[in-house]
Amino acid sequence: MSTPTDRRDAEYAAMRLPLLYARGIDRRDWALVRSCFADDAFVDGSRAALPIDAYLEQLRPGVEFFPVTMHFMGNQLADVDDATGGVHVETYAVAYHFKAEPAGTEHPENLVVGVRYHDHVARTADGWRIVRRAVSGDWRQGPYPHLG
């Protein structure tokens, strides 16, 4: 990065992407979710490792199994790679998946997970995008949904 302002702007743009991703998931705005990733992005997720479009195809039914989800995004740290101009962002999150209605009430299929998103972000022709994501599943309470 050439100046401190360029570095700050890159960090801000990169740190915003996991937040937009969470908004998209929780609002079921799949176009917003997809827009966070480069066309050739790869995700090594908690349940599958696939190119972005195949990953989202298998993720969507699992998310939509729950009437309500809520991601709480916590600590974030961004590191600019001066050699490439890319940014690595680590984001801690707690994701609540409520099968019960109303959300928040007890249900045996409610799921809460603690994860860390490790995103490699690069400037593309479409702006800053996640090019590679690895998800560390640190803990969970409740079962993953069994989808047919």
Side-chain angles (χ1 to χ4, degrees):
M1 298 273 120
S2 56
T3 70
T5 299
D6 291 340
R7 185 180 199 89
R8 185 198 67 228
D9 290 350
E11 290 172 347
Y12 175 79
M15 291 170 71
R16 187 171 159 76
L17 290 168
L19 305 178
L20 290 171
Y21 168 85
R23 173 186 275 180
I25 292 287
D26 293 341
R27 293 183 179 177
R28 307 304 192 261
D29 183 342
W30 295 102
L32 177 59
V33 171
R34 180 62 182 86
S35 75
C36 296
F37 295 89
D39 289 341
D40 61 350
F42 188 86
V43 178
D44 186 358
S46 56
R47 300 192 67 195
L50 297 164
I52 185 58
D53 291 317
Y55 182 81
L56 292 178
E57 185 177 315
Q58 66 81 38
L59 178 69
R60 188 172 178 166
V63 170
E64 292 180 347
F65 174 80
F66 300 97
V68 175
T69 58
M70 182 179 138
H71 285 68
F72 180 81
M73 309 303 272
N75 302 347
Q76 279 191 304
L77 181 63
D79 292 308
V80 174
D81 181 338
D82 290 319
T84 66
V87 182
H88 173 79
V89 179
E90 181 180 43
T91 306
Y92 285 62
V94 177
Y96 299 89
H97 303 73
F98 293 112
K99 188 65 174 174
E101 293 189 48
T105 58
E106 292 296 321
H107 190 283
E109 293 177 301
N110 285 348
L111 171 66
V112 184
V113 295
V115 299
R116 285 174 290 131
Y117 297 111
H118 305 273
D119 294 326
H120 293 278
V121 178
R123 186 188 301 267
T124 72
D126 297 320
W128 289 94
R129 298 290 185 265
I130 299 167
V131 295
R132 179 154 173 77
R133 167 172 278 182
V135 180
S136 297
D138 292 336
W139 57 268
R140 83 179 151 96
Q141 295 176 328
Y144 284 120
H146 298 286
L147 304 174

